[in-house]
Amino acid sequence: MNPRRRKFPLLESTAGAALLLGLLGCWGHTGGGPYLLGSGYAGPAQSYGVAVADLNGDGKPDLVSSTSAGGAYPNGFVSVDLQLATAPGTFLGPIRSAAGTNPSVFAVASFQGSTLPGLVVVNPPVAPDPTATNTVSVLLPDPTVAGGFLAPTALAVGTRNPSGVAASDPAGQGTPFVAVAADGGSDVLVFFQGTSAGTYGAATPVAAGGVPTAVAVADLNGDGYPDLAVTTTGNTLSVILQNAAQPGTFLAPVSYPVGSGPAAVTVADLDGDGKPDLVVANGGTATAPTTQGLTILLQDPANAGAFKDGVTYSVGDYGSTAVAVGDLNGDGKPDVAVANLGLPGLPGSVSVLLQDPANPGAFLTAVPYGGAYGPTGVAIGDLNGDGLPDLAIADGGTLVRFQVSGKPGTFGPPVAFPR
């Protein structure tokens, strides 16, 4: 048997992952190799985020994670596990491709001229490395290696520290722009596509209403143009609509209060009205970690692209870093899973918040599932073909919690998927 073949359940949906850089800096992240706050983790590789996409075009979803390989200073790569088309739930991998010095947050993106998806990967600097650079890597698919990527090209962000990335992709026709959240300014850096696939010009700053921490891209007002949702260090979420009268330019940001230390944002129709809503994971701060939580902002049905006041829910743990949305209990309503990094000495968790069936867009009390080292990413999908969504978690390596048959929305013990 090929030693690179192993059995692992099928992943069927995508979710982003976010790294809570502020908490890592405050709570002991020293840049000395593979590490995770509060755990003393020192394994050969550390996964920070997970996503799922059909990376080889065979119609089967594959798994990709961003990984720091350790050493004197982290050397990073993305790791791909291809699902075998002839054996659902069986994966070939990992296939590793260079991604930068310290890959963390990433977005799956399509590029003109390729039928396969690529990636856009954030590489924040790692103290005390004097040679560390702040970049965002663009990885085009390698046409000669299924599941592999060509050498990365960098989007320069100068001295700014990138912490979030999103790629626009209207109708799957390529990525017209990449949006990067980075500190050192009160704007989002937008890179517009150049004349060839995967090439981008210099950054165009777009006012964000505060120092950005994370970004999502979606058509928020239904005019056919992708817009920006940006969390900031001011504990706000800014909605920045694209100017339909002048495509490629953006209107002034409109800010909404969220929880403390927002670290991740995603877009989904939570209340079933056909309009996108906003979901924010709040990490709290080192001095006030209990201010974290999950903030839900439902769109105002009478005002396209505008949102109601946010409602913040406790997730039952500290340091929320990433969020995924999916129907976890089969009632046809979107639920939420939140990755929580935890405090020093504590392993963190993934919290599941099921939607209240009697109140569209409202959620029941969070149920936390304990972490191993401190979860930094989470994805939702049916991982074993039983028709029930499971949880894939970046937590040291990649872990999976399978849904318990006959107990909708509940999950069993973690199963390891080493990097």
Side-chain angles (χ1 to χ4, degrees), residues 83-106:
Q83 185 180 177
L84 298 180
T86 56
T90 301
F91 286 77
L92 173 69
I95 301 165
R96 294 174 174 174
S97 300
T101 57
N102 186 40
S104 56
V105 183
F106 66 95

Side-chain angles (χ1 to χ4, degrees), residues 4 6 57 60 80 120 127 136 157 178 192 258 309 417:
R4 296 181 66 222
R6 65 184 185 278
K60 301 288 184 179
V80 169
V120 187
V136 175
V157 295
V178 170
F192 290 100
V258 293
D309 292 341
F417 194 120

Side-chain angles (χ1 to χ4, degrees), residues 277-341:
D277 308 305
L278 300 172
V279 184
V280 177
N282 306 297
T285 66
T287 56
T290 57
T291 58
Q292 53 72 51
L294 178 77
T295 300
I296 302 295
L297 299 95
L298 300 178
Q299 187 160 170
D300 181 352
N303 192 355
F307 294 81
K308 300 177 182 178
D309 292 341
V311 177
T312 298
Y313 298 83
S314 171
V315 297
D317 209 332
Y318 306 102
S320 300
T321 65
V323 61
V325 177
D327 180 5
L328 294 174
N329 61 353
D331 66 354
K333 301 177 184 297
D335 309 303
V336 180
V338 185
N340 307 303
L341 192 60

Side-chain angles (χ1 to χ4, degrees), residues 102 104 170 177 228 294 347 369 404:
N102 186 40
S104 56
F177 68 82
L228 305 174
L294 178 77
Y369 293 84
V404 179

Side-chain angles (χ1 to χ4, degrees), residues 51-277:
V52 176
D54 180 6
L55 297 171
N56 60 351
D58 66 354
K60 301 288 184 179
D62 309 305
L63 175 67
V64 57
S65 63
S66 56
T67 303
S68 168
Y73 301 108
N75 302 297
F77 55 86
V78 292
S79 184
V80 169
D81 295 271
L82 295 175
Q83 185 180 177
L84 298 180
T86 56
T90 301
F91 286 77
L92 173 69
I95 301 165
R96 294 174 174 174
S97 300
T101 57
N102 186 40
S104 56
V105 183
F106 66 95
V108 178
S110 62
F111 297 100
Q112 290 180 351
S114 176
T115 58
L116 301 177
L119 303 176
V120 187
V121 186
V122 164
N123 289 284
V126 182
D129 183 358
T131 66
T133 57
N134 310 327
T135 64
V136 175
S137 297
V138 176
L139 280 68
L140 298 180
D142 186 341
T144 68
V145 179
F149 298 92
L150 300 175
T153 59
L155 303 181
V157 295
T159 59
R160 297 178 63 171
N161 181 0
S163 57
V165 66
S168 67
D169 182 19
Q173 297 178 356
T175 301
F177 68 82
V178 170
V180 176
D183 66 15
S186 58
D187 49 50
V188 174
L189 302 178
V190 174
F191 296 85
F192 290 100
Q193 187 168 260
T195 56
S196 59
T199 64
Y200 293 86
T204 298
V206 175
V211 178
T213 59
V215 59
V217 174
D219 180 6
L220 297 176
N221 60 353
D223 66 355
Y225 294 94
D227 309 304
L228 305 174
V230 184
T231 57
T232 79
T233 57
N235 301 333
T236 64
L237 183 142
S238 293
V239 171
I240 309 170
L241 300 178
Q242 191 167 170
N243 187 352
Q246 296 180 347
T249 66
F250 293 84
L251 303 177
V254 177
S255 294
Y256 300 85
V258 293
S260 177
V265 56
T266 194
V267 181
D269 179 10
L270 298 175
D271 56 3
D273 66 354
K275 300 178 183 298
D277 308 305

